[in-house]
Amino acid sequence: MSEEKLAAALRLIDEAHAQDPKKIEVNGKEQPYELHYSQKMSEYLEKRNPSAPDTLRLAVRAQHIRRWEIPRDSYAKNKVGYHAWRTYLKKRQADIAFQICLDCGYSQDDAARVAYLIRKEDLKKDEETQTLEDVACLVFMDDQFEEFEKQHDEEKTVKILQKTWGKMSEKGHELAMALPLSERCKDLFSRALAGG
């Protein structure tokens, strides 16, 4: 029953991701960006915690559910606007995932746990919340960093890497050190770890 519930919930989450209008090319095939992102999240969860419970698997897969519907430019283009946007997204994404879990037969408690993890509550204290954060940071470094680095100056890029590193656990750090980064990214990474 648990496997059926998990499969049903993952299918609904992926169906939502598949509606993302932003497309990217992966291995020669066009794919909705958020579907690609969520699958990368699940891949890194397998490396970070292969025995993760359903609730963590669902939270990791649903972290960005329907994110494209609330674009960044719908909020003020400053730090306050950015944080307001992120806070709203976390709550909205948690609420959507909560309902999907209930619809697929998960208990109120399990659905609430998934929502709690997506909101990243008790980061640094809750091991599963920290795992989700590690996974998100690993996906950023592996899948998004090269594009990010092209759009920002070196100083900002190094600061973002330092912040990313600071959010991660020791286990996350170990996985990050094994990432197949380009020479340019490795250089920036080394600078970030050396303090800039």
Side-chain angles (χ1 to χ4, degrees), residues 15-138:
E15 283 172 5
H17 290 318
Q19 295 171 39
D20 182 4
K22 181 181 174 184
K23 305 288 190 262
I24 60 165
E25 193 172 297
V26 181
N27 299 325
K29 288 185 180 176
E30 193 176 72
Q31 187 176 21
Y33 174 75
E34 289 299 349
L35 184 61
H36 165 74
Y37 175 85
S38 68
Q39 289 169 349
K40 290 292 277 188
M41 290 285 288
S42 290
E43 282 175 32
Y44 272 100
L45 177 60
E46 282 302 311
K47 295 177 183 184
R48 176 64 175 78
N49 181 4
S51 59
D54 285 11
T55 48
L56 182 53
R57 290 179 188 281
L58 291 166
V60 160
R61 191 71 151 251
Q63 188 205 13
H64 280 182
I65 195 162
R66 299 199 167 278
R67 182 178 179 144
W68 72 88
E69 293 176 343
I70 313 293
R72 169 66 186 94
D73 61 13
S74 61
Y75 282 76
K77 292 188 178 181
N78 55 32
K79 204 175 224 181
V80 172
Y82 175 75
H83 288 296
W85 174 67
R86 288 287 302 271
T87 300
Y88 178 72
L89 280 177
K90 280 195 283 190
K91 182 186 180 317
R92 181 177 188 264
Q93 289 155 184
D95 290 348
I96 293 168
F98 176 84
Q99 191 58 53
I100 286 174
C101 290
L102 291 182
D103 292 346
C104 292
Y106 282 98
S107 69
Q108 188 91 9
D109 285 350
D110 282 344
R113 177 67 177 163
V114 171
Y116 170 96
L117 291 168
I118 289 173
R119 290 191 301 267
K120 294 187 184 172
E121 295 189 21
D122 283 329
L123 186 60
K124 297 287 184 190
K125 293 179 185 170
D126 186 298
E127 172 61 25
E128 291 182 359
T129 303
Q130 183 59 56
T131 297
L132 189 148
E133 184 67 28
D134 282 352
V135 168
C137 291
L138 288 163

Side-chain angles (χ1 to χ4, degrees), residues 159-177:
K159 280 183 181 168
I160 291 295
L161 276 175
Q162 288 168 338
K163 280 185 183 175
T164 301
W165 190 258
K167 292 177 187 177
M168 298 171 78
S169 69
E170 282 187 34
K171 186 145 187 191
H173 290 161
E174 287 171 24
L175 289 166
M177 295 306 281

